Amino acid sequence: MKRFLILFLTVMVISCSKDDELTIPGTIDPLSSADVAVQDFMWKAMNFWYFWQADMPDLADDRFSDSETYTAFLESEDDPGAFFDNKLLYIEDRFSFYNSDYRVLTQSLAGISRSNGLEFGLVRKANSEEVFGYVRYIVPNSDAAAKDIERGDLFTGVDGQTLTINNYTDLLFGDNDTYVLNMADFVNGDVVQNDEEVSLTKQEALAENPVFISKSFEINGITIGYLMYNQFTNEYDNDLYDAITGLKDVGITELVLDLRYNPGGSVNTTRLLASMIYDTDKSNLFLRKRYNDKVQEQLSESQLEVYFTDEVEGNAIDPLRLSKLYVLTTASSASASELLINSLEPYIDIVHIGDVTRGKNEFSTTLVDDRENSYLYTPSRVNQINSDNEWAIQPLLGRNENADGFSDFTSGLVPDILLKEDYGNLGILGDLNEPLLARAIQEITGSSGKSNLTVQNPIEILSSSKMYSPFSDKMIDDTHYNANLE
């Protein structure tokens, strides 16, 4: 996936007055005759902010001794995107990216993106370059919601072309507003195309409420809550608050939190949900940030530590005060989803059911060509951005540690109970017989139930519609600190 196709905004949490701004070390400027303004901005911003700056020889403070050698390095790639990818990224970095227009990147946080409302996963056929898709869910009030397509449906082609590992990106995520899916059936262990077709059209700014399902069950005298939450989106914090409040009002004593398709999002929303689940004691540490040494030494403790909270947009939190939480995940659960699990681990028993998570434990922010503001994107300073350079970069700046100091889940969080989704038996989301929820219910009640949890066709995900969404694999750092830089 090309990094410039992935769009989202991180709101940087460090706000400084002019007298208390971060100290950017002096750097060499390129020759005035060189056309390298974008590359110059990228190098200087990465030299200060990048988490792996100390591990990158080409980002070392003493890498260049004069303007001539610095300019030659910047000119080594004519394309700024290639320069960013090939010259500035650490080998372990899977998630830093850029966009040639900061406005496009920042608008995406407000939901300005195109979607037909079909959320799906993609799987590569065994011993083949062919790919098939399976429908995960349909976004309400979307184009897909009005069509004859539902969870569990399969497709193998688009506009008459068979999906392969080489063409699925262009066919499903290209500039085409409308496409026709060639549907398929599951026959004798194989996915076989049939004669059915479904036409879908993308629409601008489709709003998806991430609180997808909130309900409760009374089983063996136990009141169990179930919440399927598909993205940590701060615009819907009140909806999340209402969902948790509703579950508390019916007296749940156990909660199954379904994050199987949640790709991440807002750190602050993650903190709010953790506080609603566990407790509102503001002396309990939710996370501690770890930047590179150059940045870390300039930040105070209050800017590096985030604590649990007791309100959501002015509404007092009446927490569930659970001592145990059941969390459902797949390989698509990432970033803020993993942060929630990791940050609650020191306080409550997490029963993790499903597949190994994505393994995204870094946070990032939007950087633009505004050196006086330490390259941080700030909406009130857009007029101060270099008018000759509209590029923005979104590099990884650090990792979030939990209260025990743990942050090393680059390989993903391993479930206590491994249970992959089965594309031949996906079940109905929120139904007691849906395999992942059924397994959680078994764990809660101690009863085996009637559901068949044998996985015959385990999903090994290749990609998904969520991976091309604005919040894919993102940990958006929008928590607030008391700025007091020294």
Side-chain angles (χ1 to χ4, degrees):
M1 183 191 310
K2 295 182 179 179
R3 290 184 175 86
F4 63 83
L5 291 175
I6 311 174
L7 308 176
F8 89 104
L9 167 69
T10 298
V11 180
M12 188 59 194
V13 298
I14 301 172
S15 57
C16 316
S17 68
K18 287 298 291 182
D19 295 330
D20 288 328
E21 56 191 18
L22 290 162
T23 301
I24 302 289
T27 52
I28 295 173
D29 292 325
L31 296 173
S32 59
S33 59
D35 182 19
V36 289
V38 179
Q39 290 92 327
D40 179 46
F41 145 68
M42 287 178 168
W43 189 90
K44 288 175 178 174
M46 293 284 277
N47 165 262
F48 182 71
W49 284 107
Y50 194 41
F51 184 55
W52 290 287
Q53 184 263 341
D55 300 300
M56 293 292 295
D58 282 337
L59 286 174
D61 294 342
D62 59 357
R63 171 66 174 81
F64 306 103
S65 58
D66 54 59
S67 294
E68 287 76 14
T69 54
Y70 179 53
T71 301
F73 176 75
L74 299 181
E75 291 178 332
S76 62
E77 294 279 4
D78 292 333
D79 175 22
F83 176 76
F84 184 82
D85 286 339
N86 299 333
K87 302 294 184 179
L88 304 182
L89 294 189
Y90 186 54
I91 190 170
E92 294 182 8
D93 186 349
R94 298 172 291 161
F95 301 107
S96 292
F97 67 98
Y98 54 82
N99 192 278
S100 61
D101 187 339
Y102 70 86
R103 288 174 291 263
V104 175
L105 190 153
T106 55
Q107 286 171 355
S108 65
L109 183 61
I112 304 176
S113 58
R114 295 183 306 150
S115 172
N116 54 37
L118 186 74
E119 295 297 341
F120 57 86
L122 295 170
V123 177
R124 183 175 180 174
K125 288 188 175 183
N127 304 313
S128 171
E129 292 192 349
E130 292 186 7
V131 171
F132 69 89
Y134 65 96
V135 179
R136 290 173 158 180
Y137 69 94
I138 308 293
V139 177
N141 304 314
S142 65
D143 183 67
K147 302 297 176 62
D148 185 18
I149 191 167
E150 62 183 5
R151 174 172 169 81
D153 285 349
L154 305 173
F155 58 91
T156 56
V158 174
D159 295 331
Q161 297 185 61
T162 299
L163 289 169
T164 70
I165 58 174
N166 299 313
N167 68 13
Y168 76 83
T169 298
D170 290 336
L171 292 176
L172 290 167
F173 308 107
D175 295 329
N176 47 333
D177 287 333
T178 299
Y179 56 67
V180 176
L181 293 181
N182 307 117
M183 307 306 290
D185 295 316
F186 188 60
V187 181
N188 297 325
D190 194 15
V191 179
V192 180
Q193 185 169 318
N194 58 36
D195 295 329
E196 295 180 15
E197 296 182 341
V198 177
S199 178
L200 297 171
T201 299
K202 301 171 187 176
Q203 59 193 84
E204 293 291 341
L206 175 65
E208 178 186 352
N209 189 330
V211 183
F212 192 65
I213 301 173
S214 180
K215 62 195 302 186
S216 61
F217 310 97
E218 191 77 26
I219 304 173
N220 296 345
I222 305 172
T223 305
I224 303 169
Y226 171 76
L227 176 65
M228 185 169 197
Y229 188 58
N230 289 335
Q231 190 165 286
F232 289 87
T233 312
N234 55 19
E235 286 87 353
Y236 293 93
D237 285 348
N238 282 327
D239 295 81
L240 181 59
Y241 175 87
D242 290 342
I244 295 293
T245 300
L247 292 173
K248 185 175 179 64
D249 288 345
V250 299
I252 68 164
T253 56
E254 306 285 354
L255 177 63
V256 180
L257 179 62
D258 195 339
L259 302 176
R260 74 181 76 189
Y261 304 138
N262 191 316
S266 162
V267 169
N268 191 55
T269 298
T270 311
R271 177 181 70 132
L272 297 179
L273 180 55
S275 300
M276 288 186 269
I277 290 171
Y278 172 54
D279 196 17
T280 55
D281 186 342
K282 296 167 74 173
S283 67
N284 285 329
L285 182 68
F286 179 65
L287 63 83
R288 182 181 295 106
K289 300 181 182 304
R290 177 65 58 186
Y291 293 88
N292 68 37
D293 290 343
K294 189 183 297 187
V295 176
Q296 192 85 5
E297 66 186 15
Q298 295 194 47
L299 301 180
S300 64
E301 184 175 284
S302 66
Q303 292 170 307
L304 295 172
E305 295 183 344
V306 178
Y307 291 83
F308 285 75
T309 186
D310 59 2
E311 65 175 298
V312 176
E313 297 185 11
N315 296 313
I317 296 173
D318 186 9
L320 296 173
R321 291 192 174 89
L322 298 176
S323 59
K324 181 178 289 188
L325 176 67
Y326 300 82
V327 183
L328 310 182
T329 70
T330 66
S332 294
S333 307
S335 197
S337 291
E338 296 167 305
L339 174 65
L340 180 78
I341 297 171
N342 190 52
S343 292
L344 281 174
E345 282 276 9
Y347 301 102
I348 65 177
D349 183 13
I350 303 290
V351 181
H352 181 180
I353 301 169
D355 203 356
V356 179
T357 61
R358 177 92 161 120
K360 168 65 167 59
N361 56 342
E362 298 91 3
F363 60 86
S364 66
T365 199
T366 304
L367 303 180
V368 293
D369 198 351
D370 181 6
R371 185 174 174 85
E372 288 190 1
N373 199 43
S374 307
Y375 299 110
L376 298 171
Y377 172 78
T378 304
S380 62
R381 288 183 56 88
V382 292
N383 291 333
Q384 304 301 315
I385 297 173
N386 181 359
S387 59
D388 295 326
N389 177 17
E390 298 181 342
W391 284 69
I393 60 175
Q394 197 82 28
L396 300 181
L397 304 191
R399 288 178 175 166
N400 288 321
E401 302 173 348
N402 67 14
D404 292 335
F406 180 73
S407 66
D408 187 13
F409 50 89
T410 303
S411 298
L413 296 171
V414 179
D416 302 296
I417 301 170
L418 181 63
L419 183 63
K420 291 178 178 287
E421 284 197 304
D422 184 333
Y423 56 81
N425 181 30
L426 281 174
I428 300 171
L429 293 171
D431 185 273
L432 286 173
N433 292 313
E434 186 277 313
L436 267 64
L437 175 56
R439 184 63 184 87
I441 298 297
Q442 286 184 11
E443 195 69 15
I444 293 169
T445 64
S447 174
S448 61
K450 299 179 181 179
S451 301
N452 180 11
L453 302 183
T454 302
V455 179
Q456 309 224 349
N457 310 281
I459 292 176
E460 302 293 344
I461 194 74
L462 169 67
S463 186
S464 71
S465 51
K466 286 286 188 184
M467 291 185 71
Y468 288 79
S469 74
F471 287 94
S472 174
D473 298 335
K474 304 301 182 289
M475 196 181 296
I476 302 173
D477 196 351
D478 56 351
T479 49
H480 299 283
Y481 301 78
N482 295 319
N484 184 24
L485 300 183
E486 300 177 352

